[in-house]
Amino acid sequence: MPARIAGTGRYLPTEVLTNDALAQRVATSDEWIRTRTGIRQRHIAAATEQTSDLAVNAARAAIAAAGMQPADIDLIIVATATPDMIFPATATIVQDKLGIRHGGAAFDISAVCSGFVYALAIAERMVSSGGARNALVIGAETYSRILDWSDRGTCVLFGDGAGAVVLVPAPEPGIVTAHLHADGSHRHILCAPGAIQHGAITGTPFVHMDGAAVFKFAVKVMADVAFEALAAAGLSPTDVDWVIPHQANIRIMDATMKKLHLPEERLVVTVDVHGNTSAASIPLALDTAVRDGRIRRGQHVLLIGVGGGFTWGSVLVRW
């Protein structure tokens, strides 16, 4: 049976770090950040908050929006590049914190900023094949923990947060198409190459990014995978009501819309207030647009992700 999104939710930590406040910590300014990225502020997790805590709060909101209880969930997938620990999977910690005890599957995936799109595509296949009934898909990140706060090329970009959806069987498709890709030969232009060996960190645990290379690659593959989704569904760009891309940089998002020949009015933007929240960015933006009434029944919503790996993908949803 096809699958549809029955509820969405989000959670943002209380602390808000504005560009002006960040300029007190690193050589930058509000004008420099805004004109290059579109970002005005980002949220930062409290010292006591783990990625699983952000995920649980977003999950509870999505489950409530779907009219369900945590016990109704039999599959949890958490997309994150900043798990609570090496193992077990953050999804199992979320399962426990939600009080789910029936033993349904729970696992993480790491596709960085494409993580939510990857996780949603996997969940759709499991629900539509009967491998699960009610799936909880979460993108959650605490990127503030892996930033070099003296590097203005990266620390100004990222924030913390979580977004979630509940996926359920439906008589007609809500998830219309899903397409996933990767090319590991580009892994060096965006990475956090630290590793733990024999109890010590080797390499750098901080985010490294070649901004110019990322920009060029991201614009190309985001447009390519958008056209791939539309071709598979037999639609044209004008049939898309809303585009929700990974919220990394307003320039990348605007360039993608131009390649699709779509007006900016159909672009959902939250990067200005959330920053780049990696795997959380698409579900955060999706929940925002659902709850403010922009996304309505019968509309086509195109989700597009691109991130380190390099990974990229799209999910086309009929709401």
Side-chain angles (χ1 to χ4, degrees):
M1 179 175 286
R4 69 173 180 88
I5 294 173
T8 66
R10 72 181 183 273
Y11 174 77
L12 293 160
T14 302
E15 182 184 347
V16 175
L17 180 61
T18 65
N19 291 345
D20 287 333
L22 187 54
Q24 304 302 310
R25 303 171 61 171
V26 65
T28 190
S29 68
D30 175 63
E31 188 274 340
W32 190 92
I33 298 169
R34 281 189 297 104
T35 57
R36 287 163 176 79
T37 69
I39 298 169
R40 295 188 288 110
Q41 64 178 45
R42 71 286 296 149
H43 291 252
I44 304 297
T48 56
E49 285 184 308
Q50 299 298 315
T51 296
S52 62
D53 296 316
L54 276 58
V56 165
N57 282 303
R60 291 192 187 281
I63 292 168
M68 295 182 179
Q69 299 296 322
D72 298 321
I73 302 299
D74 62 349
L75 169 65
I76 301 174
I77 306 177
V78 174
T80 185
T82 52
D84 283 15
M85 57 188 73
I86 296 174
F87 70 84
T90 299
T92 64
I93 301 172
V94 169
Q95 184 190 55
D96 178 51
K97 289 181 177 181
L98 287 173
I100 299 172
R101 298 287 181 264
H102 53 56
F107 58 90
D108 294 354
I109 67 161
S110 179
V112 201
C113 303
S114 302
F116 180 77
V117 169
Y118 266 61
L120 187 58
I122 294 167
E124 187 277 331
R125 283 158 175 75
M126 292 187 70
V127 171
S128 63
S129 69
R133 183 162 181 82
N134 301 320
L136 175 63
V137 183
I138 308 169
E141 302 284 14
T142 50
Y143 257 63
S144 60
R145 313 275 168 82
I146 59 171
L147 296 176
D148 178 353
W149 288 97
S150 66
D151 176 12
R152 75 170 185 175
T154 56
C155 75
V156 303
L157 301 176
F158 295 93
D160 302 334
V165 303
V166 173
L167 202 63
V168 301
E172 56 187 40
I175 306 297
V176 181
T177 67
H179 302 272
L180 305 177
H181 301 280
D183 184 347
S185 67
H186 297 281
R187 66 189 181 279
H188 302 296
I189 65 176
L190 178 56
C191 57
I196 296 177
Q197 296 183 12
H198 309 295
I201 297 175
T202 61
T204 174
F206 300 126
V207 173
H208 161 78
M209 183 175 69
D210 180 341
V214 169
F215 183 97
K216 181 178 179 181
F217 188 88
V219 171
K220 179 184 183 304
V221 299
M222 286 177 75
D224 287 348
V225 81
F227 282 118
E228 181 182 16
L230 294 172
L235 301 176
S236 68
T238 56
D239 294 314
V240 176
D241 297 284
W242 298 104
V243 178
I244 305 182
H246 167 50
Q247 308 280 312
N249 182 311
I250 193 62
R251 291 181 175 180
I252 294 175
M253 296 158 68
D254 286 343
T256 301
M257 293 298 281
K258 288 179 180 177
K259 283 183 173 288
L260 294 174
H261 303 291
L262 287 175
E264 292 184 3
E265 290 76 16
R266 299 193 193 187
L267 177 67
V268 176
V269 178
T270 57
V271 69
D272 56 330
V273 291
H274 297 163
N276 181 346
T277 53
S278 189
S281 77
I282 291 176
L284 278 169
L286 175 63
D287 181 71
T288 298
V290 168
R291 291 179 185 267
D292 67 22
R294 274 178 286 177
I295 295 178
R296 300 188 301 275
R297 183 66 63 193
Q299 292 184 329
H300 285 106
V301 181
L302 181 60
L303 313 178
I304 318 170
V306 60
F310 242 75
T311 63
W312 64 99
S314 64
V315 173
L316 179 62
V317 181
R318 183 171 175 81
W319 205 256

